Amino acid sequence: MGRRRTFDRDTVLMAAANAFRMHGYRDISIAALEKATGLVSGSIYNAFGDKAGLFRAALERYVHGFVAERIRHFAGGEATLDDLEGLFLSVLEPPLADGFGCLVTNSIVEFGREDSPARESIDATMALLRDAFSDVLTRELGAEVAAGAMMQLLTLYHGILTLSRSGLPMDELARSVRLTFAQLRTQRTTPPSSLNPESPSPERTTT
């Protein structure tokens, strides 16, 4: 018997996630996934079952790796409104500013409310964002203001990720982000803690 070909799972899943991000789940072919991942179709089916299995695994890796790491970087611990603003501005910079948006947001648009291979990861992303936004807003604006502001930010976050695919100038979308956070800062109930040298700058981006 021949030896089974091995591959780096994380590398394959992130390559697949990027391919799905660019083309969508329904429109991408197995041939295109072979080219993106470097795997032959037999290896894809052996490792992931089918295209849906590869998509599910790639999206899960994208959420719990790429997305979760960005949230920890910009909205973890003692993050401030300034730090959280950095998260929003960073989605208008590379690697997400390439005109293809975010795999999670694209999946929300593609699948809507239907039961799909994306459902679990979409729900996980919503939970991560809600918790992160709520923590920062409660700390800086108080619990009463935080609930409404959290939904405002959740809408803005996915809105700019969607509109970043429309061809609108990124600086116009960034201006909307800065205006929203400037308004939120006027409602601060505690002094900003961004003097903490460990806090990331609002202009800092991460890949």
Side-chain angles (χ1 to χ4, degrees):
M1 292 179 62
R3 293 178 59 188
R4 177 176 295 180
R5 181 178 296 178
T6 60
F7 58 87
D8 184 271
R9 185 178 176 87
D10 279 351
T11 299
V12 165
L13 290 179
M14 288 309 292
N18 193 50
F20 284 120
R21 183 174 72 90
M22 295 172 66
H23 302 290
Y25 170 72
R26 292 189 176 99
D27 290 341
I28 196 168
S29 66
I30 289 294
L33 288 169
E34 286 181 303
K35 183 176 180 180
T37 62
L39 298 180
V40 298
S41 59
S43 295
I44 290 174
Y45 288 115
N46 286 335
F48 303 103
D50 53 16
K51 186 171 85 166
L54 175 59
F55 177 74
R56 187 179 292 106
L59 182 54
E60 181 180 0
R61 175 66 181 80
Y62 182 88
V63 170
H64 294 288
F66 180 71
V67 175
E69 178 56 34
R70 289 168 58 78
I71 292 173
R72 283 192 294 270
H73 178 76
F74 287 102
E78 297 302 312
T80 67
L81 283 174
D82 300 335
D83 302 324
L84 191 57
E85 181 182 26
L87 172 65
F88 283 69
L89 292 174
S90 75
V91 305
L92 302 175
E93 299 289 342
L96 291 175
D98 59 2
F100 296 106
C102 164
L103 179 56
V104 177
T105 304
N106 295 351
S107 297
I108 293 171
V109 173
E110 181 171 5
F111 295 109
R113 295 183 178 184
E114 70 181 78
D115 187 19
S116 73
R119 185 73 267 159
E120 186 174 334
S121 289
I122 289 172
D123 290 345
T125 303
M126 292 299 104
L128 286 171
L129 292 173
R130 282 173 176 268
D131 289 346
F133 294 173
S134 292
D135 286 348
V136 176
L137 292 168
T138 299
R139 185 162 52 247
E140 297 234 78
L141 307 183
E144 186 173 342
V145 176
M150 185 274 291
M151 282 306 303
Q152 179 187 4
L153 290 187
L154 194 63
T155 302
L156 177 64
Y157 185 78
H158 286 291
I160 62 175
L161 282 166
T162 301
L163 291 176
S164 70
R165 303 191 62 183
S166 71
L168 283 175
M170 294 297 179
D171 60 342
E172 290 186 13
L173 297 175
R175 191 176 302 118
S176 177
V177 170
R178 292 189 177 98
L179 178 60
T180 297
F181 277 88
Q183 293 170 338
L184 288 173
R185 287 187 192 95
T186 67
Q187 303 178 70
R188 267 177 167 148
T189 58
T190 59
S193 55
S194 56
L195 294 178
N196 182 347
E198 299 300 319
S199 296
S201 164
E203 298 299 327
R204 183 176 176 184
T205 62
T206 180
T207 58

